[in-house]
Amino acid sequence: KEEDFGLFQVEGQRCIEEGHVDQLLEVIQNENNKVIIEGMGWNLVSPVVRYLLQNDKEDDKRKDYLLMLDFLVKLCKPKELLLGLLELIEEPSGKQISRVILLLLQPLQTVNQKLPNKAYSVGLALSTLWSQLSLLPVPYSKEQIQTDDYGLCQCCKALIEFTQPFVEEVIDDKEKSLIKDNEKLKDELLKFCLKSLKCPLLTAQFLEQSEEAGNDSLRCFASEIIGFETLRKKGLAMLQLYINKLDSQGKYTLFRCLLNTSNHSGVEAFIIQNIKNQIDVSLKRTHNNKWFTGPQLISLLDLVLFLPEGAETDLLQNSDRIMASLNLLRYLVIKDNENDNQTGLWTELRKIENNFLKPLHTGLNMSKAHYEAEIKNSKENSQAVQKSEDRCSVTVGGEEIPNMPPEMQLKVLHSALFTFDLIESVLARVEELIEMKTKPTSEENTGIK
């Protein structure tokens, strides 16, 4: 029940703040509480992490808090945990950035390994990590690297360890997998590595680590990074260089043009990420940037926060764009308070709900129902298909994948369903944040104190 959820969160947080960690550990480890912890426990991660950041002295109490974090990561639902961990990584600034990343990379790796389709989750994690790491000053001299004041060198090394199991998964499945999941995961890893080429320190760490580990998978992957991979990747890298040379008005004009003319979900997601970066720069400046705040930004957001064909939009084919749009909206809700309203988001909230959030809800329900029915039919027909040793084709995201054995077809359908679940999780988090931000206002209007 809703009141149980609130009570659990408040009492759990109180135990953490008052140091009753041993009692809370008993609750978490109790097998009878497994369902409760699985559904609600992720809310305890944030106060545990804050305690660990504030108290870095190695003692028995810290070990208990680390043990609790480990239990929560293993027991709680991975989708909710993923979003919670990424929000914690997005919060800090300055020297706190590396402290948080070094603390949470291992839990983040564990959570990503538990998710069935890793392309989106690993891509989202790497994008968030890079956006924070890129804020840190890069040490160039030998002395600066040894001192490592901001922890960037430590983070680079830890990132290699974070990506290693996903790299190995891509390499191991390269020959035998007929599905595009691992190609998408490979794309996300390469996208991150292409970004890292802008940071010689990270590139050097990657290559050095692959050699020291004597790991064929890492060496193979490293060779792909240094060669770049496809024309599309080179094209996006070139486009980014061009974008970086433009002033704010030029960037704004280019983004509008590309959003109006592009029919590629991946390219649109790339542009939306650039828009988020420009908003972030604008909000941090002391003087107002009219192109990425206020009315001008709202005009741009109208092209981003909508579904091209409403609830009938092919959500799988447009998943990259939709995820980028949701993450942009999540960022805006977190960074821009209703009273400040620098972005103009809060005056346009009703329109965004009607044009984007509500149709997305409807579309997700329709899409999930369709794919669940396909899975049911596939299971019912698989026995007959196996007996005749026939193969079948399946259309996913507007693309036909022919000559597919029934078990592979089921895997593809489940993968699509996972994509919808992930979109739904981010959507739920966005709506939760909006409610948190708007609730005090609604209570004042009704006279509730």
Side-chain angles (χ1 to χ4, degrees):
K1 294 178 182 177
E2 190 176 345
E3 56 266 31
D4 295 332
F5 190 93
L7 182 64
F8 177 86
Q9 186 175 353
V10 169
E11 291 302 316
Q13 190 162 333
R14 188 165 65 86
C15 282
I16 291 165
E17 290 168 353
E18 295 178 4
H20 305 303
V21 65
D22 49 346
Q23 295 177 31
L24 195 54
L25 268 172
E26 286 181 23
V27 174
I28 291 171
Q29 292 173 289
N30 191 328
E31 188 68 22
N32 295 329
N33 298 329
K34 186 177 179 180
V35 175
I36 296 172
I37 301 302
E38 184 181 305
M40 303 185 192
W42 67 275
N43 281 288
L44 298 180
V45 171
S46 180
V48 168
V49 168
R50 289 197 171 91
Y51 173 89
L52 288 168
L53 290 172
Q54 291 164 9
N55 303 272
D56 53 7
K57 183 183 175 184
E58 292 294 336
D59 56 17
D60 289 339
K61 182 166 277 192
R62 182 175 174 82
K63 287 177 184 175
D64 285 340
Y65 278 92
L66 287 168
L67 183 62
M68 184 183 297
L69 178 61
D70 187 52
F71 270 114
L72 290 171
V73 169
K74 287 176 180 174
L75 294 173
C76 298
K77 291 180 179 177
K79 283 185 293 184
E80 285 80 356
L81 264 177
L82 176 69
L83 295 175
L85 290 173
L86 293 182
E87 283 184 17
L88 285 169
I89 288 170
E90 283 178 320
E91 284 179 6
S93 59
K95 293 184 178 181
Q96 281 285 78
I97 291 175
S98 60
R99 291 190 65 209
V100 172
I101 288 176
L102 291 169
L103 177 64
L104 296 183
L105 268 182
Q106 182 60 57
L108 195 59
Q109 185 191 69
T110 303
V111 169
N112 275 286
Q113 285 178 302
K114 289 166 71 174
L115 293 167
N117 181 350
K118 299 178 183 64
Y120 279 112
S121 58
V122 171
L124 192 60
L126 289 174
S127 176
T128 303
L129 289 164
W130 177 256
S131 67
Q132 286 293 84
L133 285 174
S134 62
L135 300 175
L136 298 178
V138 178
Y140 286 100
S141 71
K142 189 174 181 180
E143 186 181 41
Q144 286 175 335
I145 291 171
Q146 286 175 343
T147 308
D148 196 23
D149 281 338
Y150 283 82
L152 182 58
C153 298
Q154 293 179 70
C155 287
C156 288
K157 188 172 182 180
L159 266 172
I160 307 307
E161 294 170 9
F162 171 79
T163 56
Q164 184 168 337
F166 310 117
V167 169
E168 289 177 350
E169 184 174 327
V170 168
I171 300 296
D172 290 344
D173 289 351
K174 194 172 183 180
E175 300 297 327
K176 55 190 177 185
S177 179
L178 298 177
I179 318 177
K180 293 189 175 179
D181 290 348
N182 283 317
E183 280 300 313
K184 287 184 178 179
L185 177 57
K186 179 181 173 183
D187 280 350
E188 292 298 340
L189 289 164
L190 284 169
K191 191 189 298 180
F192 174 75
C193 293
L194 285 167
K195 287 179 182 177
S196 79
L197 289 174
K198 298 173 187 174
C199 176
L201 177 68
L202 187 54
T203 307
Q205 284 275 354
F206 188 90
L207 293 172
E208 185 181 326
Q209 193 83 357
S210 66
E211 289 301 321
E212 284 180 4
N215 189 302
D216 290 336
S217 298
L218 278 175
R219 273 202 294 265
C220 176
F221 204 71
S223 67
E224 288 205 49
I225 295 161
I226 302 307
F228 292 101
E229 188 216 16
T230 60
L231 287 174
R232 183 170 73 87
K233 282 285 179 284
K234 288 181 181 178
L236 288 179
M238 290 294 290
L239 177 58
Q240 187 65 62
L241 289 173
Y242 176 66
I243 290 170
N244 294 343
K245 291 181 181 296
L246 298 172
D247 62 12
S248 294
Q249 184 177 357
K251 288 183 174 78
Y252 179 89
T253 306
L254 179 63
F255 295 158
R256 282 192 66 89
C257 178
L258 289 172
L259 287 172
N260 278 317
T261 56
S262 171
N263 291 315
H264 190 283
S265 179
V267 173
E268 289 164 1
F270 173 80
I271 297 304
I272 293 167
Q273 178 62 39
N274 267 276
I275 292 171
K276 176 179 174 289
N277 293 342
Q278 290 306 307
I279 296 170
D280 192 58
V281 169
S282 298
L283 292 178
K284 287 174 181 174
R285 283 180 179 166
T286 51
H287 64 279
N288 188 34
N289 181 346
K290 70 173 185 176
W291 297 104
F292 292 95
T293 56
Q296 297 282 13
L297 175 60
I298 290 301
S299 177
L300 196 58
L301 292 180
D302 286 342
L303 300 175
V304 174
L305 302 176
F306 88 109
L307 294 179
E309 297 168 42
E312 302 290 329
T313 301
D314 186 332
L315 300 187
L316 198 61
Q317 199 165 12
N318 288 276
S319 57
D320 285 339
R321 177 200 171 102
I322 291 167
M323 284 294 289
S325 300
L326 282 171
N327 280 311
L328 171 59
L329 183 54
R330 183 169 66 97
Y331 165 85
L332 292 172
V333 174
I334 291 171
K335 292 291 183 181
D336 191 13
N337 293 318
E338 192 175 5
N339 292 335
D340 298 333
N341 198 25
Q342 288 176 272
T343 62
L345 166 75
W346 299 102
T347 53
E348 300 294 314
L349 190 58
R350 183 63 60 86
K351 183 170 72 173
I352 292 168
E353 287 175 341
N354 291 333
N355 292 351
F356 184 53
L357 300 180
K358 288 179 181 177
L360 184 54
H361 264 297
T362 306
L364 282 168
N365 290 336
M366 291 164 57
S367 299
K368 288 177 74 174
H370 171 73
Y371 276 84
E372 283 165 357
E374 286 292 319
I375 287 170
K376 185 180 178 183
N377 291 337
S378 182
K379 285 179 178 176
E380 289 172 353
N381 296 333
S382 63
Q383 193 172 4
V385 172
Q386 284 172 3
K387 282 181 180 178
S388 63
E389 296 186 352
D390 284 341
R391 289 173 177 250
C392 51
S393 64
V394 62
T395 301
V396 175
E399 247 180 87
E400 187 175 359
I401 307 173
N403 299 322
M404 182 173 286
E407 66 273 11
M408 202 62 78
Q409 181 186 12
L410 268 175
K411 199 170 180 183
V412 171
L413 292 170
H414 277 294
S415 174
L417 209 54
F418 172 76
T419 299
F420 300 141
D421 284 342
L422 192 59
I423 292 173
E424 194 169 49
S425 293
V426 182
L427 173 59
R429 182 57 180 159
V430 167
E431 292 180 325
E432 183 183 4
L433 288 167
I434 290 172
E435 187 180 356
M436 285 166 60
K437 285 285 186 87
T438 56
K439 197 171 184 180
T441 305
S442 61
E443 287 179 353
E444 280 176 20
N445 292 340
T446 54
I448 300 172
K449 302 294 183 186

